[in-house]
Amino acid sequence: MPKPAKGSEYLKGSMIREVNALINELEDRGVDVIKMHIGQPGVPPSSGLIDEFTRLLKEKSFELSAYSSTPGILELREAIADDYHRYSGVKVSPSNISVTTGSSEAIITLAMAFLNPGDKAVVLNPTYLLYKPIMQYFNAKVTEVKVSISNDFNPDPEELKKAVDKDTKLIVLVNPDNPTGSTLRSEVVKTAVDLAVDNDSLLVYDEAYRHLYYEGEHVYALRYNMSNVIALNTFSKDPALPGWRLGFVVADEDILSVFNRVKQYININPPTPAQYIGLLYIRKYKENFIKETIPLFKERRDVVYNSIKSMLPDAKVLKPKAGLFMFPDLSSYLSRIKMNDLDFSLRLLREKHVGVVPGSAFGDGGALHIRINFTRESTDRLREGVERIAELLRELSVL
């Protein structure tokens, strides 16, 4: 075969997808796996939404199967603009919205549109696992700011200031965070925005979980500035539509003029059927669906957190105020037997049939942690999942 392109070595493959593939293999053999790994809400989409969309698809099959404009159908962008203003207080228009094929397309498009070889990109460590390898692929110099549970996984504003300089093109923040489950303090967000403005950088603000809050309120970076911030959003989380591959970004028109031009070469338009189901969701089902799911997810969060505290007393764990994830630090256990988080996660899957993601997949700052999705399964199965983690640690003679 021909030699792979330079930079492809950074795209090693997502550990989340690898774990998912192993789970699929087990399930194909009839094994029942407790799924606490993949970042998918543990509820189906609204049944009313699916019913109405099905009728619409039959009635307007041509329109829903046709090409759309690159930034998305105007109706959807109008609905997103109104909806974003309603929740954030930030006045935006359809020209400030570009609809994407999930947030992943947005990340790649941003790298293609704004990164030159040698440009600096600042990310947290640990952080969502797509950012660093994509930026490395485009020959950016990645600077990492370490975060830990000792500060609720919030970066020290002074450390951010040290990391960002005139060579910085992109600053990346994920809030609420994946994998740590943390929410960023307003001081941190404001500092990042100011640094982007002062250094002519772009703050990439990933707010995929902005509606999934159990305590507190989301901090909108766009409240502080429009010219140097691009907010990434998705329909994969609060609407529970991950397989439809739909997202959107909110930014200044000048940023989007470049973004949309580059986007044409990645994907002519976001999936048209998905755009129409997204439109129905925003207009008719969003508010009630969120009201129904938040109490359910909060109950599941509490079950996992309390189970970890009682069954894994030496683990350090943050009780997340938002999002889907918990990120327990198992170093007090794993260091005793000199086992890393990858080997532990694979052994947990093969022997106890519990799927989690090793924390090191999100950066070396996540070593000896595991990422748990606390919304994917029922409370009984989540409790059983933590029991099986404790059971494996007992068998390894560290609990």
Side-chain angles (χ1 to χ4, degrees), residues 31-236:
V31 176
D32 178 30
V33 178
I34 297 177
K35 301 179 186 68
M36 303 167 73
H37 66 297
I38 201 162
Q40 175 171 328
V43 294
S46 163
S47 59
L49 172 64
I50 297 299
D51 289 343
E52 185 167 354
F53 174 78
T54 302
R55 292 193 296 272
L56 182 65
L57 181 59
K58 290 179 178 178
E59 293 168 3
K60 296 186 175 182
S61 58
F62 183 84
E63 292 92 334
L64 269 64
S65 302
Y67 288 120
S68 80
S69 65
T70 295
I73 60 174
L74 179 58
E75 272 188 291
L76 177 57
R77 289 185 287 120
E78 288 174 339
I80 290 172
D82 290 343
D83 183 77
Y84 200 85
H85 177 236
R86 174 189 173 193
Y87 285 96
S88 70
V90 180
K91 183 65 175 176
V92 293
S93 70
S95 60
N96 298 121
I97 310 294
S98 183
V99 183
T100 59
T101 307
S103 291
S104 300
E105 183 196 36
I107 296 168
I108 295 170
T109 304
L110 280 168
M112 288 181 65
F114 292 101
L115 279 179
N116 293 308
D119 281 346
K120 187 174 175 181
V122 176
V123 302
L124 304 187
N125 181 357
T127 194
Y128 183 50
L129 50 72
L130 255 66
Y131 284 105
K132 182 179 178 180
I134 287 174
M135 291 170 184
Q136 289 175 317
Y137 177 83
F138 287 100
N139 295 308
K141 296 177 180 178
V142 178
T143 296
E144 297 177 296
V145 177
K146 289 287 184 73
V147 293
S148 71
I149 196 170
S150 63
N151 197 26
D152 295 338
F153 296 106
N154 270 244
D156 184 331
E158 294 305 314
E159 291 299 314
L160 270 181
K161 292 175 184 177
K162 291 177 185 177
V164 178
D165 56 29
K166 295 298 181 182
D167 294 326
T168 303
K169 184 63 70 71
L170 300 180
I171 307 165
V172 179
L173 293 180
V174 183
N175 185 37
D177 189 48
N178 174 7
T180 67
S182 66
T183 51
L184 296 179
R185 293 186 287 271
S186 57
E187 177 193 9
V188 171
V189 178
K190 180 65 165 60
T191 297
V193 171
D194 290 344
L195 288 169
V197 173
D198 293 344
N199 293 281
D200 196 24
S201 307
L202 184 61
L203 172 61
V204 180
Y205 195 65
D206 187 331
E207 50 186 5
Y209 306 93
R210 67 188 173 101
H211 288 308
L212 300 180
Y213 271 74
Y214 315 111
E215 291 92 25
E217 294 182 351
H218 183 60
V219 178
Y220 286 88
L222 285 168
R223 287 178 179 168
Y224 300 118
N225 174 272
M226 277 287 290
S227 61
N228 292 76
V229 176
I230 183 164
L232 276 58
N233 286 266
T234 179
F235 286 83
S236 295

Side-chain angles (χ1 to χ4, degrees), residues 235-360:
F235 286 83
S236 295
K237 309 308 176 182
D238 60 272
L241 294 168
W244 291 78
R245 307 313 304 135
L246 190 70
F248 64 92
V249 299
V250 189
D252 183 83
E253 291 181 25
D254 289 340
I255 294 171
L256 290 188
S257 67
V258 180
F259 181 90
N260 288 329
R261 174 164 48 82
V262 173
K263 184 177 179 293
Q264 295 176 43
Y265 293 87
I266 300 174
N267 194 0
I268 294 171
N269 64 266
T272 304
Q275 293 188 65
Y276 279 93
I277 201 169
L279 177 61
L280 282 174
Y281 174 73
I282 289 176
R283 283 184 169 172
K284 297 183 66 173
Y285 296 94
K286 178 174 179 174
E287 185 174 0
N288 286 338
F289 193 65
I290 291 174
K291 286 180 180 178
E292 291 170 2
T293 55
I294 289 295
L296 176 64
F297 290 171
K298 183 177 180 180
E299 179 187 18
R300 293 177 179 180
R301 177 204 64 171
D302 292 346
V303 164
V304 172
Y305 179 78
N306 292 332
S307 296
I308 290 173
K309 296 297 284 186
S310 63
M311 299 178 199
L312 304 170
D314 291 341
K316 299 175 184 176
V317 62
L318 174 74
K319 188 176 186 179
K321 297 177 181 178
L324 304 180
F325 306 110
M326 218 166 286
F327 201 58
D329 176 355
L330 302 183
S331 59
S332 60
Y333 298 112
L334 299 183
S335 60
R336 295 179 216 166
I337 52 173
K338 296 181 172 58
M339 178 179 282
N340 63 40
D341 51 282
L342 174 59
D343 291 341
F344 178 77
S345 298
L346 293 176
R347 191 159 177 176
L348 179 67
L349 178 57
R350 289 168 178 151
E351 296 182 18
K352 301 300 178 183
H353 305 147
V354 176
V356 299
V357 182
S360 56

